[in-house]
Amino acid sequence: AQSVTQPDIHITVSEGASLELRCNYSYGATPYLFWYVQSPGQGLQLLLKYFSGDTLVQGIKGFEAEFKRSQSSFNLRKPSVHWSDAAEYFCAFSTGTASKLTFGTGTRLQVTL
Amino acid sequence: DTGVSQDPRHKITKRGQNVTFRCDPISEHNRLYWYRQTLGQGPEFLTYFQNEAQLEKSRLLSDRFSAERPKGSFSTLEIQRTEQGDSAMYLCASSLGGGSNQPQHFGDGTRLSIL
């Protein structure tokens, strides 16, 4: 079955520390991959996307993600976290003509000062 | 680019009542999607439109749910005879054209609470 797994439900990091959020997908081919961020009571904002080509993609707010085909992973990273990065982060992929997104269950990031 | 707009932001209603939500996509976007997000979960696909045509519906969309997109602009999602299990955030997204490489832009959602 097609699915996205985010193994970490909740992560706490100190401001200024580095961050890595894990994402694994299950799909028969390489899907289009996305990371979205959601602040409480808000919709989702696109951080970055991977379609093809360079496996390291840059996004907004200093985030980057690396696609690893051999591991079916698309982990999100940031070298130095800011308190304003505290939010829920969702990994997703889209496939087929509908382009509907399949989301993981999310990782809640807490940032301590 | 004014973004995707959803109305209302919050809706509280009694079980058994009908509710309708509206979504205004980004103006040049011809694809419009509806998702449902329950607490602690990621959004789940409900349905999508290409212009005014509804092209796919999830099995999550029971016969109490109906969505329309007249004239290919704004869309409405109606839930009839609401049930407790309908309590969720309903998210609308739009994208430019088809193809899985077109990113979807989300509105802030409508949070539905069933008393």
Side-chain angles (χ1 to χ4, degrees), chain A residues 32 36 38 41-44 46 51 90 94-101 103-104, chain B residues 9 31 33 35 37 42-43 45 48 56 91 99-101 103-104 106-108:
Chain A
Y32 296 112
Y36 283 87
Q38 185 178 38
Q42 303 294 314
L44 286 83
L46 179 67
F51 296 148
F90 292 95
S94 72
T95 60
T97 55
S99 306
K100 57 189 176 184
L101 291 168
F103 286 88
Chain B
R9 290 294 311 278
R31 283 224 173 169
Y33 300 80
Y35 292 84
Q37 185 179 22
F45 170 78
Y48 89 101
E56 185 172 339
L91 293 163
S100 295
N101 61 345
Q104 294 177 28
F106 283 80
D108 285 339

PDB file of all heavy atoms in Angstrom, chain A residues 32 36 38 41-44 46 51 90 94-101 103-104, chain B residues 9 31 33 35 37 42-43 45 48 56 91 99-101 103-104 106-108:
ATOM      1  N   TYR A  32       6.500  12.129  -6.325  1.00  0.00           N
ATOM      2  CA  TYR A  32       6.866  13.510  -6.067  1.00  0.00           C
ATOM      3  C   TYR A  32       6.715  13.737  -4.561  1.00  0.00           C
ATOM      4  O   TYR A  32       5.689  13.386  -3.983  1.00  0.00           O
ATOM      5  CB  TYR A  32       5.963  14.457  -6.852  1.00  0.00           C
ATOM      6  CG  TYR A  32       6.117  14.312  -8.337  1.00  0.00           C
ATOM      7  CD1 TYR A  32       5.086  13.791  -9.112  1.00  0.00           C
ATOM      8  CD2 TYR A  32       7.291  14.690  -8.970  1.00  0.00           C
ATOM      9  CE1 TYR A  32       5.225  13.647 -10.481  1.00  0.00           C
ATOM     10  CE2 TYR A  32       7.443  14.554 -10.339  1.00  0.00           C
ATOM     11  CZ  TYR A  32       6.405  14.031 -11.086  1.00  0.00           C
ATOM     12  OH  TYR A  32       6.546  13.890 -12.445  1.00  0.00           O
ATOM     13  N   TYR A  36       5.537  19.932   4.217  1.00  0.00           N
ATOM     14  CA  TYR A  36       4.676  21.063   4.578  1.00  0.00           C
ATOM     15  C   TYR A  36       4.835  21.336   6.065  1.00  0.00           C
ATOM     16  O   TYR A  36       5.106  20.426   6.857  1.00  0.00           O
ATOM     17  CB  TYR A  36       3.208  20.739   4.301  1.00  0.00           C
ATOM     18  CG  TYR A  36       2.791  20.809   2.850  1.00  0.00           C
ATOM     19  CD1 TYR A  36       2.926  19.708   2.010  1.00  0.00           C
ATOM     20  CD2 TYR A  36       2.228  21.973   2.318  1.00  0.00           C
ATOM     21  CE1 TYR A  36       2.516  19.767   0.683  1.00  0.00           C
ATOM     22  CE2 TYR A  36       1.816  22.035   0.989  1.00  0.00           C
ATOM     23  CZ  TYR A  36       1.968  20.930   0.187  1.00  0.00           C
ATOM     24  OH  TYR A  36       1.548  20.989  -1.129  1.00  0.00           O
ATOM     25  N   GLN A  38       2.760  23.241   9.416  1.00  0.00           N
ATOM     26  CA  GLN A  38       1.456  23.719   9.874  1.00  0.00           C
ATOM     27  C   GLN A  38       1.583  24.297  11.274  1.00  0.00           C
ATOM     28  O   GLN A  38       1.953  23.588  12.205  1.00  0.00           O
ATOM     29  CB  GLN A  38       0.438  22.581   9.857  1.00  0.00           C
ATOM     30  CG  GLN A  38      -0.979  23.006  10.205  1.00  0.00           C
ATOM     31  CD  GLN A  38      -1.973  21.856  10.132  1.00  0.00           C
ATOM     32  OE1 GLN A  38      -1.650  20.722  10.502  1.00  0.00           O
ATOM     33  NE2 GLN A  38      -3.181  22.126   9.638  1.00  0.00           N
ATOM     34  N   GLY A  41      -3.848  25.813  14.296  1.00  0.00           N
ATOM     35  CA  GLY A  41      -5.034  26.461  13.755  1.00  0.00           C
ATOM     36  C   GLY A  41      -4.888  27.024  12.360  1.00  0.00           C
ATOM     37  O   GLY A  41      -5.779  27.737  11.883  1.00  0.00           O
ATOM     38  N   GLN A  42      -3.806  26.692  11.716  1.00  0.00           N
ATOM     39  CA  GLN A  42      -3.544  27.227  10.373  1.00  0.00           C
ATOM     40  C   GLN A  42      -3.542  26.117   9.332  1.00  0.00           C
ATOM     41  O   GLN A  42      -3.551  24.932   9.663  1.00  0.00           O
ATOM     42  CB  GLN A  42      -2.189  27.943  10.343  1.00  0.00           C
ATOM     43  CG  GLN A  42      -2.051  29.057  11.351  1.00  0.00           C
ATOM     44  CD  GLN A  42      -2.988  30.207  11.074  1.00  0.00           C
ATOM     45  OE1 GLN A  42      -3.119  30.671   9.932  1.00  0.00           O
ATOM     46  NE2 GLN A  42      -3.667  30.690  12.097  1.00  0.00           N
ATOM     47  N   GLY A  43      -3.510  26.556   8.063  1.00  0.00           N
ATOM     48  CA  GLY A  43      -3.363  25.589   6.985  1.00  0.00           C
ATOM     49  C   GLY A  43      -1.920  25.175   6.835  1.00  0.00           C
ATOM     50  O   GLY A  43      -1.083  25.439   7.689  1.00  0.00           O
ATOM     51  N   LEU A  44      -1.628  24.510   5.739  1.00  0.00           N
ATOM     52  CA  LEU A  44      -0.292  23.987   5.504  1.00  0.00           C
ATOM     53  C   LEU A  44       0.477  24.892   4.540  1.00  0.00           C
ATOM     54  O   LEU A  44      -0.064  25.330   3.529  1.00  0.00           O
ATOM     55  CB  LEU A  44      -0.358  22.577   4.909  1.00  0.00           C
ATOM     56  CG  LEU A  44      -0.751  21.471   5.874  1.00  0.00           C
ATOM     57  CD1 LEU A  44      -2.254  21.385   6.019  1.00  0.00           C
ATOM     58  CD2 LEU A  44      -0.203  20.140   5.389  1.00  0.00           C
ATOM     59  N   LEU A  46       3.866  25.109   2.121  1.00  0.00           N
ATOM     60  CA  LEU A  46       4.861  24.286   1.451  1.00  0.00           C
ATOM     61  C   LEU A  46       6.269  24.765   1.786  1.00  0.00           C
ATOM     62  O   LEU A  46       6.595  25.950   1.607  1.00  0.00           O
ATOM     63  CB  LEU A  46       4.646  24.343  -0.066  1.00  0.00           C
ATOM     64  CG  LEU A  46       5.622  23.547  -0.912  1.00  0.00           C
ATOM     65  CD1 LEU A  46       5.443  22.045  -0.668  1.00  0.00           C
ATOM     66  CD2 LEU A  46       5.427  23.872  -2.404  1.00  0.00           C
ATOM     67  N   PHE A  51      11.061  16.708  -7.256  1.00  0.00           N
ATOM     68  CA  PHE A  51      10.444  16.081  -8.413  1.00  0.00           C
ATOM     69  C   PHE A  51      11.436  15.161  -9.103  1.00  0.00           C
ATOM     70  O   PHE A  51      11.135  14.029  -9.428  1.00  0.00           O
ATOM     71  CB  PHE A  51       9.944  17.142  -9.395  1.00  0.00           C
ATOM     72  CG  PHE A  51       8.846  18.002  -8.833  1.00  0.00           C
ATOM     73  CD1 PHE A  51       8.722  19.327  -9.213  1.00  0.00           C
ATOM     74  CD2 PHE A  51       7.937  17.496  -7.920  1.00  0.00           C
ATOM     75  CE1 PHE A  51       7.712  20.128  -8.694  1.00  0.00           C
ATOM     76  CE2 PHE A  51       6.921  18.286  -7.399  1.00  0.00           C
ATOM     77  CZ  PHE A  51       6.816  19.611  -7.793  1.00  0.00           C
ATOM     78  N   PHE A  90       4.752  17.984   8.116  1.00  0.00           N
ATOM     79  CA  PHE A  90       4.184  16.848   7.404  1.00  0.00           C
ATOM     80  C   PHE A  90       4.972  16.557   6.139  1.00  0.00           C
ATOM     81  O   PHE A  90       5.239  17.460   5.331  1.00  0.00           O
ATOM     82  CB  PHE A  90       2.728  17.128   7.012  1.00  0.00           C
ATOM     83  CG  PHE A  90       1.781  17.213   8.173  1.00  0.00           C
ATOM     84  CD1 PHE A  90       1.461  18.426   8.744  1.00  0.00           C
ATOM     85  CD2 PHE A  90       1.214  16.062   8.705  1.00  0.00           C
ATOM     86  CE1 PHE A  90       0.593  18.507   9.817  1.00  0.00           C
ATOM     87  CE2 PHE A  90       0.342  16.129   9.778  1.00  0.00           C
ATOM     88  CZ  PHE A  90       0.036  17.357  10.341  1.00  0.00           C
ATOM     89  N   SER A  94       2.800  12.779  -3.870  1.00  0.00           N
ATOM     90  CA  SER A  94       1.667  12.771  -4.796  1.00  0.00           C
ATOM     91  C   SER A  94       1.998  11.873  -5.973  1.00  0.00           C
ATOM     92  O   SER A  94       3.156  11.735  -6.371  1.00  0.00           O
ATOM     93  CB  SER A  94       1.326  14.172  -5.293  1.00  0.00           C
ATOM     94  OG  SER A  94       2.295  14.642  -6.194  1.00  0.00           O
ATOM     95  N   THR A  95       0.960  11.247  -6.488  1.00  0.00           N
ATOM     96  CA  THR A  95       1.122  10.322  -7.599  1.00  0.00           C
ATOM     97  C   THR A  95      -0.103  10.378  -8.502  1.00  0.00           C
ATOM     98  O   THR A  95      -1.159  10.866  -8.095  1.00  0.00           O
ATOM     99  CB  THR A  95       1.256   8.864  -7.109  1.00  0.00           C
ATOM    100  OG1 THR A  95       0.057   8.524  -6.393  1.00  0.00           O
ATOM    101  CG2 THR A  95       2.448   8.685  -6.206  1.00  0.00           C
ATOM    102  N   GLY A  96       0.065   9.861  -9.688  1.00  0.00           N
ATOM    103  CA  GLY A  96      -1.067   9.675 -10.580  1.00  0.00           C
ATOM    104  C   GLY A  96      -1.639  10.964 -11.140  1.00  0.00           C
ATOM    105  O   GLY A  96      -1.200  12.066 -10.818  1.00  0.00           O
ATOM    106  N   THR A  97      -2.657  10.796 -11.950  1.00  0.00           N
ATOM    107  CA  THR A  97      -3.256  11.943 -12.625  1.00  0.00           C
ATOM    108  C   THR A  97      -3.993  12.851 -11.647  1.00  0.00           C
ATOM    109  O   THR A  97      -4.141  14.039 -11.876  1.00  0.00           O
ATOM    110  CB  THR A  97      -4.213  11.482 -13.719  1.00  0.00           C
ATOM    111  OG1 THR A  97      -5.180  10.593 -13.151  1.00  0.00           O
ATOM    112  CG2 THR A  97      -3.454  10.749 -14.815  1.00  0.00           C
ATOM    113  N   ALA A  98      -4.478  12.286 -10.559  1.00  0.00           N
ATOM    114  CA  ALA A  98      -5.194  13.109  -9.584  1.00  0.00           C
ATOM    115  C   ALA A  98      -4.252  14.004  -8.810  1.00  0.00           C
ATOM    116  O   ALA A  98      -4.661  15.049  -8.307  1.00  0.00           O
ATOM    117  CB  ALA A  98      -5.982  12.229  -8.623  1.00  0.00           C
ATOM    118  N   SER A  99      -3.015  13.595  -8.698  1.00  0.00           N
ATOM    119  CA  SER A  99      -2.015  14.350  -7.929  1.00  0.00           C
ATOM    120  C   SER A  99      -2.434  14.550  -6.482  1.00  0.00           C
ATOM    121  O   SER A  99      -2.002  15.505  -5.836  1.00  0.00           O
ATOM    122  CB  SER A  99      -1.760  15.724  -8.568  1.00  0.00           C
ATOM    123  OG  SER A  99      -1.419  15.584  -9.917  1.00  0.00           O
ATOM    124  N   LYS A 100      -3.290  13.670  -5.986  1.00  0.00           N
ATOM    125  CA  LYS A 100      -3.698  13.834  -4.583  1.00  0.00           C
ATOM    126  C   LYS A 100      -2.524  13.531  -3.678  1.00  0.00           C
ATOM    127  O   LYS A 100      -1.683  12.682  -3.964  1.00  0.00           O
ATOM    128  CB  LYS A 100      -4.867  12.914  -4.271  1.00  0.00           C
ATOM    129  CG  LYS A 100      -4.592  11.449  -4.549  1.00  0.00           C
ATOM    130  CD  LYS A 100      -5.859  10.629  -4.418  1.00  0.00           C
ATOM    131  CE  LYS A 100      -5.593   9.188  -4.804  1.00  0.00           C
ATOM    132  NZ  LYS A 100      -6.831   8.381  -4.789  1.00  0.00           N
ATOM    133  N   LEU A 101      -2.476  14.257  -2.582  1.00  0.00           N
ATOM    134  CA  LEU A 101      -1.382  14.107  -1.634  1.00  0.00           C
ATOM    135  C   LEU A 101      -1.705  13.039  -0.603  1.00  0.00           C
ATOM    136  O   LEU A 101      -2.816  12.977  -0.079  1.00  0.00           O
ATOM    137  CB  LEU A 101      -1.114  15.432  -0.930  1.00  0.00           C
ATOM    138  CG  LEU A 101      -0.511  16.540  -1.805  1.00  0.00           C
ATOM    139  CD1 LEU A 101      -0.576  17.882  -1.084  1.00  0.00           C
ATOM    140  CD2 LEU A 101       0.925  16.203  -2.169  1.00  0.00           C
ATOM    141  N   PHE A 103      -0.334  12.013   3.041  1.00  0.00           N
ATOM    142  CA  PHE A 103       0.456  12.610   4.104  1.00  0.00           C
ATOM    143  C   PHE A 103       0.869  11.578   5.148  1.00  0.00           C
ATOM    144  O   PHE A 103       0.170  10.586   5.381  1.00  0.00           O
ATOM    145  CB  PHE A 103      -0.360  13.692   4.827  1.00  0.00           C
ATOM    146  CG  PHE A 103      -0.538  14.958   4.057  1.00  0.00           C
ATOM    147  CD1 PHE A 103      -1.596  15.112   3.175  1.00  0.00           C
ATOM    148  CD2 PHE A 103       0.349  16.015   4.212  1.00  0.00           C
ATOM    149  CE1 PHE A 103      -1.774  16.284   2.466  1.00  0.00           C
ATOM    150  CE2 PHE A 103       0.176  17.200   3.508  1.00  0.00           C
ATOM    151  CZ  PHE A 103      -0.889  17.328   2.631  1.00  0.00           C
ATOM    152  N   GLY A 104       1.984  11.871   5.817  1.00  0.00           N
ATOM    153  CA  GLY A 104       2.320  11.161   7.032  1.00  0.00           C
ATOM    154  C   GLY A 104       1.509  11.731   8.190  1.00  0.00           C
ATOM    155  O   GLY A 104       0.730  12.675   8.016  1.00  0.00           O
TER     156      GLY A 104
ATOM    157  N   ARG B   9     -14.064  30.069   9.245  1.00  0.00           N
ATOM    158  CA  ARG B   9     -12.878  29.479   9.863  1.00  0.00           C
ATOM    159  C   ARG B   9     -13.284  28.440  10.898  1.00  0.00           C
ATOM    160  O   ARG B   9     -12.596  27.448  11.096  1.00  0.00           O
ATOM    161  CB  ARG B   9     -12.028  30.557  10.514  1.00  0.00           C
ATOM    162  CG  ARG B   9     -11.328  31.487   9.544  1.00  0.00           C
ATOM    163  CD  ARG B   9     -10.262  30.756   8.712  1.00  0.00           C
ATOM    164  NE  ARG B   9      -9.360  29.947   9.508  1.00  0.00           N
ATOM    165  CZ  ARG B   9      -8.299  30.409  10.157  1.00  0.00           C
ATOM    166  NH1 ARG B   9      -8.003  31.692  10.111  1.00  0.00           N
ATOM    167  NH2 ARG B   9      -7.526  29.597  10.854  1.00  0.00           N
ATOM    168  N   ARG B  31      -7.173  23.471 -10.568  1.00  0.00           N
ATOM    169  CA  ARG B  31      -7.405  22.294  -9.746  1.00  0.00           C
ATOM    170  C   ARG B  31      -7.732  22.727  -8.322  1.00  0.00           C
ATOM    171  O   ARG B  31      -7.094  23.627  -7.771  1.00  0.00           O
ATOM    172  CB  ARG B  31      -6.177  21.388  -9.745  1.00  0.00           C
ATOM    173  CG  ARG B  31      -6.046  20.597 -11.020  1.00  0.00           C
ATOM    174  CD  ARG B  31      -5.682  19.183 -10.721  1.00  0.00           C
ATOM    175  NE  ARG B  31      -5.718  18.361 -11.917  1.00  0.00           N
ATOM    176  CZ  ARG B  31      -5.258  17.149 -11.988  1.00  0.00           C
ATOM    177  NH1 ARG B  31      -4.694  16.606 -10.908  1.00  0.00           N
ATOM    178  NH2 ARG B  31      -5.334  16.465 -13.093  1.00  0.00           N
ATOM    179  N   TYR B  33      -8.782  20.939  -4.439  1.00  0.00           N
ATOM    180  CA  TYR B  33      -8.823  19.721  -3.634  1.00  0.00           C
ATOM    181  C   TYR B  33      -9.464  20.005  -2.282  1.00  0.00           C
ATOM    182  O   TYR B  33      -9.301  21.092  -1.715  1.00  0.00           O
ATOM    183  CB  TYR B  33      -7.403  19.208  -3.373  1.00  0.00           C
ATOM    184  CG  TYR B  33      -6.605  18.856  -4.595  1.00  0.00           C
ATOM    185  CD1 TYR B  33      -5.982  19.838  -5.350  1.00  0.00           C
ATOM    186  CD2 TYR B  33      -6.452  17.529  -4.999  1.00  0.00           C
ATOM    187  CE1 TYR B  33      -5.239  19.519  -6.476  1.00  0.00           C
ATOM    188  CE2 TYR B  33      -5.711  17.193  -6.116  1.00  0.00           C
ATOM    189  CZ  TYR B  33      -5.105  18.207  -6.853  1.00  0.00           C
ATOM    190  OH  TYR B  33      -4.373  17.873  -7.965  1.00  0.00           O
ATOM    191  N   TYR B  35      -9.503  18.210   1.611  1.00  0.00           N
ATOM    192  CA  TYR B  35      -8.915  17.235   2.513  1.00  0.00           C
ATOM    193  C   TYR B  35      -9.595  17.370   3.884  1.00  0.00           C
ATOM    194  O   TYR B  35     -10.115  18.433   4.232  1.00  0.00           O
ATOM    195  CB  TYR B  35      -7.410  17.483   2.707  1.00  0.00           C
ATOM    196  CG  TYR B  35      -6.560  17.242   1.495  1.00  0.00           C
ATOM    197  CD1 TYR B  35      -6.405  18.242   0.527  1.00  0.00           C
ATOM    198  CD2 TYR B  35      -5.891  16.040   1.305  1.00  0.00           C
ATOM    199  CE1 TYR B  35      -5.607  18.035  -0.597  1.00  0.00           C
ATOM    200  CE2 TYR B  35      -5.096  15.822   0.187  1.00  0.00           C
ATOM    201  CZ  TYR B  35      -4.958  16.825  -0.754  1.00  0.00           C
ATOM    202  OH  TYR B  35      -4.169  16.615  -1.869  1.00  0.00           O
ATOM    203  N   GLN B  37      -8.745  16.703   8.043  1.00  0.00           N
ATOM    204  CA  GLN B  37      -7.686  16.437   9.020  1.00  0.00           C
ATOM    205  C   GLN B  37      -8.291  16.307  10.411  1.00  0.00           C
ATOM    206  O   GLN B  37      -8.890  17.254  10.917  1.00  0.00           O
ATOM    207  CB  GLN B  37      -6.651  17.569   9.003  1.00  0.00           C
ATOM    208  CG  GLN B  37      -5.456  17.323   9.903  1.00  0.00           C
ATOM    209  CD  GLN B  37      -4.445  18.446   9.856  1.00  0.00           C
ATOM    210  OE1 GLN B  37      -4.766  19.575   9.493  1.00  0.00           O
ATOM    211  NE2 GLN B  37      -3.194  18.144  10.213  1.00  0.00           N
ATOM    212  N   GLY B  42      -2.430  13.452   9.784  1.00  0.00           N
ATOM    213  CA  GLY B  42      -2.213  14.247   8.603  1.00  0.00           C
ATOM    214  C   GLY B  42      -3.496  14.378   7.801  1.00  0.00           C
ATOM    215  O   GLY B  42      -4.434  13.612   8.001  1.00  0.00           O
ATOM    216  N   PRO B  43      -3.550  15.338   6.920  1.00  0.00           N
ATOM    217  CA  PRO B  43      -4.754  15.491   6.081  1.00  0.00           C
ATOM    218  C   PRO B  43      -4.988  14.257   5.215  1.00  0.00           C
ATOM    219  O   PRO B  43      -4.037  13.598   4.784  1.00  0.00           O
ATOM    220  CB  PRO B  43      -4.411  16.705   5.214  1.00  0.00           C
ATOM    221  CG  PRO B  43      -3.357  17.442   5.975  1.00  0.00           C
ATOM    222  CD  PRO B  43      -2.572  16.385   6.677  1.00  0.00           C
ATOM    223  N   PHE B  45      -7.177  12.900   1.772  1.00  0.00           N
ATOM    224  CA  PHE B  45      -7.836  13.346   0.551  1.00  0.00           C
ATOM    225  C   PHE B  45      -9.316  12.991   0.561  1.00  0.00           C
ATOM    226  O   PHE B  45      -9.698  11.864   0.923  1.00  0.00           O
ATOM    227  CB  PHE B  45      -7.153  12.675  -0.641  1.00  0.00           C
ATOM    228  CG  PHE B  45      -7.856  12.842  -1.951  1.00  0.00           C
ATOM    229  CD1 PHE B  45      -7.763  14.019  -2.667  1.00  0.00           C
ATOM    230  CD2 PHE B  45      -8.625  11.810  -2.474  1.00  0.00           C
ATOM    231  CE1 PHE B  45      -8.409  14.160  -3.892  1.00  0.00           C
ATOM    232  CE2 PHE B  45      -9.275  11.940  -3.686  1.00  0.00           C
ATOM    233  CZ  PHE B  45      -9.173  13.116  -4.395  1.00  0.00           C
ATOM    234  N   TYR B  48     -11.419  15.975  -5.592  1.00  0.00           N
ATOM    235  CA  TYR B  48     -10.794  17.072  -6.296  1.00  0.00           C
ATOM    236  C   TYR B  48     -11.541  17.402  -7.582  1.00  0.00           C
ATOM    237  O   TYR B  48     -12.292  16.573  -8.119  1.00  0.00           O
ATOM    238  CB  TYR B  48      -9.318  16.794  -6.573  1.00  0.00           C
ATOM    239  CG  TYR B  48      -8.988  16.082  -7.870  1.00  0.00           C
ATOM    240  CD1 TYR B  48      -8.526  16.785  -8.975  1.00  0.00           C
ATOM    241  CD2 TYR B  48      -9.103  14.699  -7.971  1.00  0.00           C
ATOM    242  CE1 TYR B  48      -8.204  16.129 -10.156  1.00  0.00           C
ATOM    243  CE2 TYR B  48      -8.788  14.036  -9.139  1.00  0.00           C
ATOM    244  CZ  TYR B  48      -8.328  14.750 -10.233  1.00  0.00           C
ATOM    245  OH  TYR B  48      -8.000  14.102 -11.401  1.00  0.00           O
ATOM    246  N   GLU B  56     -12.572  12.805  -8.940  1.00  0.00           N
ATOM    247  CA  GLU B  56     -12.322  11.671  -8.062  1.00  0.00           C
ATOM    248  C   GLU B  56     -12.874  11.961  -6.684  1.00  0.00           C
ATOM    249  O   GLU B  56     -12.798  13.096  -6.194  1.00  0.00           O
ATOM    250  CB  GLU B  56     -10.819  11.361  -7.957  1.00  0.00           C
ATOM    251  CG  GLU B  56     -10.514  10.106  -7.139  1.00  0.00           C
ATOM    252  CD  GLU B  56      -9.057   9.700  -7.198  1.00  0.00           C
ATOM    253  OE1 GLU B  56      -8.352  10.103  -8.143  1.00  0.00           O
ATOM    254  OE2 GLU B  56      -8.608   8.954  -6.300  1.00  0.00           O
ATOM    255  N   LEU B  91      -9.782  21.126   4.928  1.00  0.00           N
ATOM    256  CA  LEU B  91      -8.797  21.940   4.228  1.00  0.00           C
ATOM    257  C   LEU B  91      -9.056  21.927   2.729  1.00  0.00           C
ATOM    258  O   LEU B  91      -9.382  20.887   2.153  1.00  0.00           O
ATOM    259  CB  LEU B  91      -7.391  21.394   4.484  1.00  0.00           C
ATOM    260  CG  LEU B  91      -6.869  21.503   5.910  1.00  0.00           C
ATOM    261  CD1 LEU B  91      -5.680  20.587   6.119  1.00  0.00           C
ATOM    262  CD2 LEU B  91      -6.491  22.937   6.244  1.00  0.00           C
ATOM    263  N   GLY B  99      -0.881  17.234 -13.100  1.00  0.00           N
ATOM    264  CA  GLY B  99       0.496  16.793 -12.967  1.00  0.00           C
ATOM    265  C   GLY B  99       0.938  16.802 -11.527  1.00  0.00           C
ATOM    266  O   GLY B  99       0.681  17.748 -10.785  1.00  0.00           O
ATOM    267  N   SER B 100       1.583  15.717 -11.130  1.00  0.00           N
ATOM    268  CA  SER B 100       1.983  15.595  -9.737  1.00  0.00           C
ATOM    269  C   SER B 100       3.082  16.558  -9.343  1.00  0.00           C
ATOM    270  O   SER B 100       3.416  16.656  -8.175  1.00  0.00           O
ATOM    271  CB  SER B 100       2.444  14.158  -9.473  1.00  0.00           C
ATOM    272  OG  SER B 100       1.370  13.261  -9.625  1.00  0.00           O
ATOM    273  N   ASN B 101       3.666  17.269 -10.308  1.00  0.00           N
ATOM    274  CA  ASN B 101       4.734  18.189  -9.959  1.00  0.00           C
ATOM    275  C   ASN B 101       4.226  19.599  -9.688  1.00  0.00           C
ATOM    276  O   ASN B 101       5.005  20.513  -9.500  1.00  0.00           O
ATOM    277  CB  ASN B 101       5.791  18.216 -11.061  1.00  0.00           C
ATOM    278  CG  ASN B 101       5.203  18.693 -12.379  1.00  0.00           C
ATOM    279  OD1 ASN B 101       3.995  18.748 -12.547  1.00  0.00           O
ATOM    280  ND2 ASN B 101       6.062  19.029 -13.322  1.00  0.00           N
ATOM    281  N   PRO B 103       2.725  21.965  -7.103  1.00  0.00           N
ATOM    282  CA  PRO B 103       2.468  21.993  -5.657  1.00  0.00           C
ATOM    283  C   PRO B 103       1.084  22.524  -5.350  1.00  0.00           C
ATOM    284  O   PRO B 103       0.565  23.396  -6.055  1.00  0.00           O
ATOM    285  CB  PRO B 103       3.556  22.928  -5.131  1.00  0.00           C
ATOM    286  CG  PRO B 103       3.954  23.769  -6.287  1.00  0.00           C
ATOM    287  CD  PRO B 103       3.782  22.914  -7.503  1.00  0.00           C
ATOM    288  N   GLN B 104       0.498  21.997  -4.306  1.00  0.00           N
ATOM    289  CA  GLN B 104      -0.811  22.441  -3.854  1.00  0.00           C
ATOM    290  C   GLN B 104      -0.630  23.498  -2.773  1.00  0.00           C
ATOM    291  O   GLN B 104       0.191  23.356  -1.873  1.00  0.00           O
ATOM    292  CB  GLN B 104      -1.613  21.253  -3.325  1.00  0.00           C
ATOM    293  CG  GLN B 104      -1.950  20.256  -4.433  1.00  0.00           C
ATOM    294  CD  GLN B 104      -2.677  19.039  -3.931  1.00  0.00           C
ATOM    295  OE1 GLN B 104      -3.387  19.088  -2.921  1.00  0.00           O
ATOM    296  NE2 GLN B 104      -2.508  17.932  -4.631  1.00  0.00           N
ATOM    297  N   PHE B 106      -2.502  25.542   0.238  1.00  0.00           N
ATOM    298  CA  PHE B 106      -3.608  25.287   1.158  1.00  0.00           C
ATOM    299  C   PHE B 106      -4.166  26.573   1.761  1.00  0.00           C
ATOM    300  O   PHE B 106      -3.436  27.541   2.005  1.00  0.00           O
ATOM    301  CB  PHE B 106      -3.144  24.384   2.302  1.00  0.00           C
ATOM    302  CG  PHE B 106      -3.022  22.947   1.917  1.00  0.00           C
ATOM    303  CD1 PHE B 106      -1.905  22.483   1.232  1.00  0.00           C
ATOM    304  CD2 PHE B 106      -4.032  22.040   2.226  1.00  0.00           C
ATOM    305  CE1 PHE B 106      -1.793  21.155   0.859  1.00  0.00           C
ATOM    306  CE2 PHE B 106      -3.922  20.706   1.862  1.00  0.00           C
ATOM    307  CZ  PHE B 106      -2.810  20.263   1.181  1.00  0.00           C
ATOM    308  N   GLY B 107      -5.469  26.528   2.032  1.00  0.00           N
ATOM    309  CA  GLY B 107      -6.099  27.551   2.842  1.00  0.00           C
ATOM    310  C   GLY B 107      -5.910  27.245   4.318  1.00  0.00           C
ATOM    311  O   GLY B 107      -5.296  26.237   4.685  1.00  0.00           O
ATOM    312  N   ASP B 108      -6.444  28.112   5.181  1.00  0.00           N
ATOM    313  CA  ASP B 108      -6.297  27.935   6.620  1.00  0.00           C
ATOM    314  C   ASP B 108      -7.312  26.958   7.207  1.00  0.00           C
ATOM    315  O   ASP B 108      -7.268  26.675   8.396  1.00  0.00           O
ATOM    316  CB  ASP B 108      -6.403  29.279   7.339  1.00  0.00           C
ATOM    317  CG  ASP B 108      -5.149  30.116   7.169  1.00  0.00           C
ATOM    318  OD1 ASP B 108      -4.086  29.533   6.859  1.00  0.00           O
ATOM    319  OD2 ASP B 108      -5.225  31.345   7.340  1.00  0.00           O
TER     320      ASP B 108
END
